[in-house]
Amino acid sequence: MRYDNININREKSLIRSDDLDKIAIDDIEHKSKVRIGFSEFSINLYNNTKNKILKELNASEEDWNNYKWQLKNRISSVDEISNYIDLTREEYENIKNVSEEYRFAITPYYFSLTDFDNPNCPIKLQSFPDIRELEDGGQLDPMNEEQSNPSGRITRRYPNKLIINVTNACPMYCRHCQRRRLIGKFDKNTSREDINESIEFIKNNKTLREVLITGGDALLLSNNHLERIFNELSQISHVEVIRIGTRVLATLPFRIDDELASLLGKYKVQLSTQFNHASEITLEAVQAIDLLVDHGVLVRNQMVLLHNVNDDMYCIQKTNEELQKYRVIPYYLFHPKDVKGIGHFQVDIDKGLEIMKHLEGRTSGMCKPTYVYNSPGGLGKVPLVPLQNIEPVENGYKFTTWENRIFTKNFDD
Ligand SMILES: *Cc1c(COP(=O)(O)O)cnc(C)c1O
Ligand code: SF4
């Protein structure tokens, strides 16, 4: 006997282990259908389109890896799209009509991840104008941000943290953007005066321990501009944490270079990003993640649940497992907001809860985001958890495990 513990039953344990294998094998089978950025298929798509673009624009590999070149050469008209793919007359007209109402811009990098043959390609759904954007329904300002702005360009809804909105610009205008009322209409950095006023407000409110610098995409500010803000915030003794909100890891990974990663590391900045699908986690994205993590920057992911993009339990599982593998910790899974123009991305809350239920036990705790719903009127985020997990019963609670096994605990146990 190798163990002193006489309670071990090897036979039963092996039967249990075999049962768990069956569940894992089933998951692996389903997850293998999710397209990942590192697959040969994805890399081929990318290289094909990338080479076409480089040829069309007479540009070099060095240009491609330069984020300024990427920004300058964004694909932002239907004619540019039709340089690279054959659009039907109807597709052409649709993109044209939508882009007159909501402009679009796609970095050549992100565009090259598109699988043009798949009508539900997650990259395409997030970046190409879609005729359904013109459908009625949804609100213009469901967040009521107008009532959460005590000073400068601040949004405050919580006791000890707030947001400073430093720009309206983004490398790409995500079709599902929940702030599209402000973003994708004009590009404007917040004025120095408004930033100064925001910082002054933070200075005068000792309750504020965390400041989120966001946009738009906060990493579209220059390094000098960012450093000035970090420097001023770091001199306020009650500000313990500076956090940046950015999507460049997915849309413009070349923005992260050694200089920026060092700057973020120097001020111990933490970062929230947004990957919504495993196909966005590419070699280029992982190089950017590595630079950040190696400089000590904490990186967490805020995914948005989006119909046809990722509203599938295996897709969410695979995407979060890829993130964990490359050292990005899943943070939130946002339920999509009811904003005008993005109704076609809506998902039922039941579906989101079913996905969360699936993740329990089926994957590492490090791969599990918190599913959240944003309250109307700017009242804050509400975490959503499967109802059956814990239910009050007479004199105690009933619990349901990840495999739907039930046990109860009485108050007097
Ligand atoms: C989401 C949000 C935050 C940050 O909340 P965390 O749960 O800490 O990520 C801060 N301020 C506002 C206004 C927010 O909407
Ligand atoms: S990066 Fe964020 S703010 Fe910018 S368009 Fe995409 S979702 Fe909206």
Side-chain angles (χ1 to χ4, degrees):
M1 198 78 175
R2 272 194 297 144
Y3 294 97
D4 297 334
N5 187 342
I6 49 157
N7 289 324
I8 286 183
N9 180 328
R10 264 295 152 62
E11 206 176 324
K12 272 195 182 159
S13 302
L14 282 170
I15 292 171
R16 174 69 172 153
S17 181
D18 283 346
D19 285 345
L20 293 171
D21 268 344
K22 287 192 191 98
I23 299 174
I25 288 165
D26 188 61
D27 283 353
I28 290 169
E29 164 77 21
H30 282 97
K31 284 188 293 176
S32 70
K33 301 196 175 85
V34 179
R35 187 187 139 200
I36 61 169
F38 274 82
S39 66
E40 211 183 309
F41 175 81
S42 289
I43 292 169
N44 283 339
L45 282 178
Y46 178 65
N47 286 332
N48 271 339
T49 309
K50 173 181 165 184
N51 290 333
K52 276 191 206 165
I53 296 176
L54 289 179
K55 199 161 158 225
E56 173 80 20
L57 300 179
N58 199 11
S60 66
E61 183 76 26
E62 201 185 326
D63 291 329
W64 185 266
N65 295 331
N66 178 337
Y67 84 88
K68 288 183 179 154
W69 182 91
Q70 288 278 336
L71 285 174
K72 213 162 79 201
N73 291 287
R74 293 191 299 186
I75 290 158
S76 55
S77 73
V78 66
D79 290 319
E80 285 169 89
I81 291 187
S82 59
N83 279 340
Y84 306 109
I85 45 166
D86 295 326
L87 297 172
T88 63
R89 186 84 227 147
E90 192 189 353
E91 284 168 334
Y92 183 97
E93 288 301 324
N94 283 350
I95 293 177
K96 191 160 181 291
N97 289 338
V98 176
S99 64
E100 278 159 13
E101 179 76 21
Y102 302 109
R103 72 172 169 158
F104 78 98
I106 316 171
T107 56
Y109 162 80
Y110 198 84
F111 184 79
S112 299
L113 306 178
T114 313
D115 175 5
F116 300 115
D117 295 331
N118 175 5
N120 281 333
C121 167
I123 301 292
K124 186 175 170 191
L125 287 171
Q126 292 182 75
S127 57
F128 279 46
D130 187 307
I131 192 67
R132 291 170 292 185
E133 292 173 35
L134 301 181
E135 284 168 6
D136 286 339
Q139 294 161 271
L140 280 175
D141 181 23
M143 299 306 297
N144 212 347
E145 293 181 16
E146 276 75 11
Q147 289 182 36
S148 325
N149 176 215
S151 175
R153 291 291 286 119
I154 280 173
T155 306
R156 183 180 189 184
R157 298 194 188 117
Y158 293 105
N160 75 358
K161 58 189 176 189
L162 56 66
I163 287 175
I164 311 180
N165 196 290
V166 294
T167 181
N168 263 329
C170 294
M172 165 177 121
Y173 304 113
C174 308
R175 305 326 288 174
H176 57 275
C177 183
Q178 330 216 329
R179 311 189 65 241
R180 66 186 316 171
R181 176 178 57 92
L182 302 170
I183 289 157
K185 288 271 181 227
F186 54 93
D187 282 344
K188 194 167 173 290
N189 286 350
T190 302
S191 69
R192 193 168 275 242
E193 277 167 358
D194 273 343
I195 297 219
N196 288 346
E197 202 182 305
S198 306
I199 293 175
E200 205 49 40
F201 180 86
I202 295 162
K203 228 179 246 168
N204 293 329
N205 285 272
K206 291 203 162 44
T207 50
L208 297 166
R209 66 173 288 278
E210 179 163 1
V211 177
L212 272 83
I213 301 170
T214 178
D217 197 312
L219 290 186
L220 280 191
L221 294 194
S222 68
N223 291 359
N224 281 342
H225 200 153
L226 287 169
E227 175 142 35
R228 192 175 70 84
I229 298 173
F230 297 160
N231 188 34
E232 290 187 12
L233 288 174
S234 66
Q235 287 175 30
I236 304 173
S237 58
H238 52 272
V239 173
E240 297 170 11
V241 177
I242 303 172
R243 198 195 312 175
I244 282 269
T246 179
R247 215 193 163 198
V248 298
L249 291 178
T251 58
L252 186 65
F254 312 112
R255 173 65 181 101
I256 311 288
D257 58 11
D258 212 61
E259 189 188 312
L260 177 58
S262 306
L263 173 64
L264 298 173
K266 177 177 161 193
Y267 289 94
K268 303 201 185 314
V269 173
Q270 308 188 353
L271 198 143
S272 324
T273 191
Q274 184 193 138
F275 287 103
N276 296 324
H277 192 276
S279 58
E280 297 174 328
I281 306 162
T282 61
L283 176 68
E284 287 75 5
V286 170
Q287 280 170 346
I289 293 165
D290 282 347
L291 266 176
L292 292 170
V293 178
D294 291 348
H295 280 88
V297 179
L298 200 82
V299 186
R300 300 197 69 168
N301 190 57
Q302 309 196 146
M303 192 181 289
V304 189
L305 183 60
L306 298 167
H307 184 52
N308 282 336
V309 172
N310 61 12
D311 60 337
D312 170 87
M313 54 180 91
Y314 298 103
C315 178
I316 298 271
Q317 182 180 354
K318 184 70 187 172
T319 304
N320 283 308
E321 287 175 354
E322 285 288 289
L323 288 168
Q324 183 208 18
K325 177 168 147 192
Y326 297 114
R327 302 185 289 175
V328 174
I329 303 297
Y331 183 31
Y332 283 138
L333 174 64
F334 286 119
H335 190 79
K337 289 173 201 158
D338 181 28
V339 179
K340 188 173 185 308
I342 64 172
H344 57 293
F345 288 115
Q346 268 303 323
V347 181
D348 287 341
I349 289 182
D350 281 352
K351 179 81 196 186
L353 291 173
E354 187 192 323
I355 291 170
M356 292 310 295
K357 184 73 199 166
H358 170 82
L359 295 183
E360 285 172 16
R362 304 289 272 262
T363 194
S364 159
M366 302 285 270
C367 298
K368 266 185 295 187
T370 302
Y371 180 35
V372 286
Y373 188 84
N374 255 299
S375 325
L379 293 176
K381 302 175 180 74
V382 182
L384 305 179
V385 286
L387 266 180
Q388 70 267 37
N389 283 8
I390 175 165
E391 283 171 62
V393 289
E394 172 120 23
N395 204 30
Y397 290 108
K398 185 179 103 179
F399 294 84
T400 305
T401 72
W402 65 277
E403 291 166 288
N404 293 323
R405 299 196 188 184
I406 288 164
F407 65 93
T408 54
K409 173 154 178 40
N410 290 329
F411 291 132
D412 37 278
D413 274 354

